[in-house]
């Protein structure tokens, strides 16, 4: 059995695609989880969503490129991109170093707050990750 520890923060919500979301009123700041950055490997490029773009939940809005793969970024909720983390242009590997802090990707002003009801809380996400990494 392989046991690996990943940071999973309480107070955040999580998608099936390993994106974390911090909800603040109508705004949702998001990024890739510690688990996702670990599985992806050293990140060398991030295609961030475009500012002021309207996005729909589960729509591909960018990508994270590592030395071994390119993984799409899916919008965790529907709304307008109101802020993008420009730090990622010059230092994309900040996601590897601090996926929850400096490595956030963007902020969406949500259209439909009820969409967050479909997301996992930290305990649900932790159970899903633990079952996937402890399976033989």
């Amino acid at each position: 059995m392989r046991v690996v520890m990943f940071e999973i923060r309480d107070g955040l919500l999580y998608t099936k695609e390993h994106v974390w979301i911090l909800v603040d009123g109508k705004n949702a700041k998001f990024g890739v989880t510690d688990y996702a950055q670990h599985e992806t490997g050293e990140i060398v490029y991030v295609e961030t969503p475009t500012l002021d773009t309207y996005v729909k939940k589960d729509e591909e809005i960018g990508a994270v490129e590592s030395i071994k793969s390119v993984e799409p970024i899916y919008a965790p909720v529907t709304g307008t991109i109101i802020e993008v983390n420009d730090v990622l242009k010059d230092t994309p590997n900040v996601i590897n170093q601090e996926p929850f802090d400096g490595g956030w990707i963007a902020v969406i002003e949500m259209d439909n707050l009820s969409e967050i009801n479909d997301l996992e809380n930290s305990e649900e996400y932790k159970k899903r990750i633990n079952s996937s990494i402890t399976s033989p």
Side-chain angles (χ1 to χ4, degrees):
M1 175 170 45
R2 178 176 84 133
V3 177
V4 181
M5 297 301 294
F6 300 102
E7 183 177 4
I8 298 172
R9 289 192 180 174
D10 292 336
L12 300 178
L13 298 172
Y14 298 87
T15 71
K16 301 285 188 219
E17 293 79 24
H18 306 288
V19 170
W20 61 263
I21 301 164
L22 174 61
V23 176
D24 181 13
K26 287 187 70 172
N27 295 338
K29 180 185 272 189
F30 68 94
V32 298
T33 64
D34 190 30
Y35 174 80
Q37 71 80 18
H38 183 270
E39 292 295 304
T40 302
E42 184 182 343
I43 296 171
V44 296
Y45 177 75
V46 179
E47 177 191 339
T48 57
T50 305
L51 195 61
D52 297 324
T53 300
Y54 184 79
V55 298
K56 293 181 180 175
K57 183 179 179 188
D58 299 326
E59 171 184 23
E60 189 174 327
I61 59 170
V64 174
E65 183 177 336
S66 73
I67 55 176
K68 63 181 184 180
S69 68
V70 176
E71 300 295 331
I73 300 169
Y74 297 100
V77 291
T78 300
T80 303
I81 303 290
I82 60 169
E83 192 174 349
V84 174
N85 187 355
D86 290 330
V87 169
L88 299 177
K89 290 180 179 144
D90 295 326
T91 53
N93 67 339
V94 72
I95 291 174
N96 296 114
Q97 298 158 6
E98 46 184 274
F100 295 104
D101 298 313
W104 61 276
I105 293 172
V107 178
I108 296 175
E109 184 178 347
M110 296 183 283
D111 276 0
N112 183 356
L113 295 176
S114 69
E115 286 182 338
I116 64 174
N117 297 332
D118 298 333
L119 304 174
E120 296 174 320
N121 64 33
S122 60
E123 286 303 311
E124 293 165 329
Y125 185 68
K126 192 178 297 179
K127 284 179 188 171
R128 182 163 57 92
I129 294 305
N130 284 338
S131 69
S132 71
I133 61 176
T134 57
S135 297

